[in-house]
Amino acid sequence: MLQNTGKLAGKTLFITGASRGIGKAIALKAARDGANVVIAAKTAQVHPKLPGTIYTAAEEIEALGGKALPCIVDVRDEKQIGDAVQLAVQKFGGIDILVNNASAINLNGTLETPMKTVDLMLAVNLRGTYLTSKLCIPHLLKSKGAHILNLSPPLNLNPIWFKNHTGKNHVFLKFRQSNDVSSPPAIHTAAMDMLGGMDVGKRCRNVDIMSDAAYAIFSKPPSYTGNFVIDEDILRKEGIKDFDVYAIAPGNPLMPDFFLDEAEGLLQNLGEQKGLPDSGKGSTTSSISGPIAETFNIIKGILNPDVVKSTGGVYRFDLSGEHAGVWYIDLKNDAGSAGCGEPPVKPDVVMAMDSADFTKMFAGELKPTMAFMSGKLKIKGDMTLAIKMEKMMSMMKSKL
């Protein structure tokens, strides 16, 4: 891991979304140098699903030797940002570094994403980043070591990342004295738990790799600007060779983050996009034998109340290809059930794909996230439940 050098002693960092996750990790890294940190985030009271508040983060910062200023800030609110900036200047004498970390994400497709959600993502990811930067820049210009750091997925215009995700592509801006940092493998945060379930963390890196990469950037002169960097790349240039220290579960294969050329290779291996099969309501399987039936026999054998409790969803599978038909898995009611035909209750998720890919997916040879990103898997309904299917698939892998 990258060691602290004291470079940030006395510097003031304004970090949005710093009550938890990557934002808080960057704050704690700076605190070890004796930095001043403005925690600009929304959570002032304990959240039922997410850890930490601006006040608990402030306590952790000060325990490490830093100074903290917790501010209730919604980056959509110009007055709240402006007030926090003025408080920071009054308390610490200025602002040296801005970290635009606050973000909003939704993984559903275009038709399943309401405009309210689209407006939220644009207001936070685009307008909030622009507005916070605009209000901080007058003070950053007075600093001898100013930086703006935007946390974001990589800016990759390769069409493979756009053709299936027009409803949730990100827009990022560049600012004077600004750098963007991204990560190749996925980073484990509370948001990842909410999107993919607790087990997803085993294939992620922890937030420390992002805080170390941010620290490396902050240690550079202001002339280091206008860069898009990957955390692992910049840390290698700093002499870091052992990246297992950043793994949640060292030795486990890492899940690649999206929008990177390395992940593109995985997508290309999965094949070209297929259309949604037309297997309307009432469709039946063309055969109750074969690999699909065998897969469902295994599924029935591993169903239990614990799996049902941890998943909480009813799935319908519209399969095309050689073994076309409709199948279901109920992981929401009683001890669970699975079989051929329509589910006994309205499904929460409809997953459409080729029957051959279905077999691969449940054999652990094809991850649902990768299948979805490549267009092999079409999903209607709750995307988080679709991701949770990976837990069952990991249980089945040992049975096949």
Side-chain angles (χ1 to χ4, degrees), residues 147 149 179-181 212-221 224 229 234:
H147 288 282
L149 180 63
N179 296 285
D180 285 358
V181 65
D212 279 4
Y215 188 87
I217 291 173
F218 300 154
S219 300
K220 296 181 181 298
Y224 184 81
V229 299
I234 195 167

Side-chain angles (χ1 to χ4, degrees), residues 266-275 277 291-292 295-296 317-324 351-372 374-378 393 400:
L266 293 177
L267 297 187
Q268 290 174 335
N269 289 337
L270 293 178
E272 295 299 319
Q273 180 178 357
K274 292 183 174 63
I292 305 300
T295 298
F296 271 84
F317 299 90
D318 292 351
L319 304 183
S320 59
E322 183 179 358
H323 301 282
M351 305 175 77
M353 64 193 310
D354 187 273
S355 57
D357 292 326
F358 176 88
T359 303
K360 290 178 182 178
M361 195 168 71
F362 276 84
E365 299 172 9
L366 177 61
K367 297 292 184 183
T369 47
M370 291 292 100
F372 176 68
S374 70
K376 277 182 171 278
L377 170 64
K378 301 292 185 182
M393 293 169 193
L400 295 174

Side-chain angles (χ1 to χ4, degrees), residues 41-342:
K42 293 193 303 179
T43 308
Q45 298 180 338
V46 177
H47 191 282
K49 295 183 179 179
L50 299 173
T53 68
I54 57 175
Y55 305 112
T56 57
E59 291 173 357
E60 292 182 59
I61 288 167
E62 294 184 345
L64 291 174
K67 295 180 180 178
L69 176 61
C71 296
I72 300 175
V73 172
D74 183 335
V75 295
R76 297 171 292 178
D77 190 318
E78 184 171 357
K79 185 178 185 303
Q80 287 187 2
I81 301 171
D83 289 346
V85 168
Q86 291 306 313
L87 286 173
V89 173
Q90 291 171 13
K91 179 165 182 149
F92 300 128
I95 299 174
D96 300 289
I97 296 169
L98 166 63
V99 180
N100 286 307
N101 168 70
S103 65
I105 187 172
N106 182 280
L107 293 179
N108 288 322
T110 302
L111 296 179
E112 291 74 40
T113 304
M115 285 311 300
K116 181 179 179 181
T117 302
V118 175
D119 291 341
L120 172 66
M121 289 190 288
L122 290 174
V124 174
N125 299 344
L126 176 58
R127 185 179 184 275
T129 297
Y130 185 95
L131 178 57
T132 307
S133 300
K134 179 180 176 67
L135 296 179
C136 286
I137 284 174
H139 305 286
L140 291 168
L141 291 173
K142 300 175 183 177
S143 172
K144 294 182 179 179
H147 288 282
I148 296 177
L149 180 63
N150 301 320
L151 280 296
S152 74
L155 187 62
N156 190 338
L157 298 182
N158 189 320
I160 197 169
W161 299 113
F162 283 79
K163 65 180 182 180
N164 302 320
H165 306 96
T166 54
K168 55 184 176 288
N169 280 312
H170 303 272
V171 178
F172 299 98
L173 300 179
K174 294 301 297 178
F175 303 96
R176 184 180 183 274
Q177 296 175 325
S178 169
N179 296 285
D180 285 358
V181 65
S182 311
S183 175
I187 301 296
H188 184 242
T189 62
M192 284 292 290
D193 285 340
M194 292 183 71
L195 291 171
M198 296 299 291
D199 288 344
V200 74
K202 296 176 182 178
R203 300 196 302 278
C204 296
R205 284 177 172 164
N206 61 45
V207 293
D208 291 338
I209 191 169
M210 293 294 281
S211 63
D212 279 4
Y215 188 87
I217 291 173
F218 300 154
S219 300
K220 296 181 181 298
S223 57
Y224 184 81
T225 185
N227 298 287
F228 293 96
V229 299
I230 304 298
D231 53 9
E232 184 174 314
D233 292 346
I234 195 167
L235 290 176
R236 286 189 187 281
K237 292 178 181 178
E238 295 292 324
I240 302 298
K241 297 180 180 179
D242 180 11
F243 288 87
D244 282 345
V245 297
Y246 297 113
I248 296 293
N252 273 15
L254 295 171
M255 179 171 67
D257 208 350
F258 299 139
F259 307 104
L260 282 167
D261 290 337
E262 293 90 334
E264 176 199 348
L266 293 177
L267 297 187
Q268 290 174 335
N269 289 337
L270 293 178
E272 295 299 319
Q273 180 178 357
K274 292 183 174 63
L276 200 70
D278 183 14
S279 54
K281 187 172 182 178
S283 299
T284 58
T285 181
S286 58
S287 172
I288 57 173
S289 61
I292 305 300
E294 291 174 6
T295 298
F296 271 84
N297 284 335
I298 296 173
I299 291 173
K300 292 176 183 178
I302 63 175
L303 291 178
N304 61 66
D306 290 336
V307 174
V308 173
K309 183 178 179 180
S310 64
T311 308
V314 178
Y315 302 80
R316 190 183 89 183
F317 299 90
D318 292 351
L319 304 183
S320 59
E322 183 179 358
H323 301 282
V326 176
W327 298 76
Y328 75 90
I329 303 176
D330 182 352
L331 297 178
K332 190 175 186 178
N333 302 291
D334 301 322
S337 62
C340 177
E342 292 284 347

